[in-house]
Amino acid sequence: MKTAIALIAAAGSIASADVVINEVLGSTTSTDTEFVELYNGGASAVSLDGWSIELWDSDSTSSGFGGADGFQVLDLSGFSIDAGGYFLAANDTFNQFFTANVDLAFADNGIENGSYTIILKNNGVAVNTILVSDDDGVANEAGVAVTPDLSIGPDGSFLPAGFYRVGDGSD
């Protein structure tokens, strides 16, 4: 029995390693379209029970550094991603302009228009950490420096509006 439980736990951790933050479109200087897309590159579906997406202010020169940023935490419990599938969390403005199926909605201006660290977690453990920076960003979780898996920006001296990793064949 213990062996079966260990195999199930190991299979779950292998599958979860295939889920990444795939695409993000953040805020610019006004209310606009924002979204976070996850991608499951694995061969089996992954339950997102216990998963979350966190945002942390990463402007090293601001008084808000290390504090909650935008939506701060999106709880993904109750959702899953099929093998080779996508999960989309988007703001209200996104829903006004696009016909894509949004899995989870968040409020407008949910992603700040300055440097931020976005972290995908599985039961409190970081699975994927990305720094999006306008040149003064420091990857962090609640003000404690972390090493990101990926750093995006700056685009000149500006914060990149967004990025993608695995194309999905659509606009």
Side-chain angles (χ1 to χ4, degrees), residues 25-119:
L25 182 61
S27 179
T28 55
T29 58
S30 62
T31 299
D32 51 15
T33 299
E34 300 172 343
F35 66 87
V36 177
E37 179 186 78
L38 305 180
Y39 173 66
N40 176 7
S44 60
V46 174
S47 167
L48 296 178
D49 286 341
W51 288 64
S52 63
I53 299 171
E54 296 181 2
L55 283 178
W56 298 97
D57 186 323
S58 298
D59 286 315
S60 63
T61 58
S62 85
S63 61
F65 175 78
D69 195 15
F71 58 66
Q72 192 194 7
V73 176
L74 291 178
D75 180 2
L76 307 179
S77 293
F79 296 98
S80 63
I81 306 177
D82 291 334
Y86 298 87
F87 174 90
L88 180 63
N91 71 350
D92 296 331
T93 300
F94 179 95
N95 289 320
Q96 293 173 16
F97 293 102
F98 298 98
T99 58
N101 293 325
V102 174
D103 298 296
L104 180 64
F106 57 85
D108 282 339
N109 300 311
I111 303 175
E112 185 195 13
N113 62 346
S115 297
Y116 59 89
T117 303
I118 185 167
I119 304 173

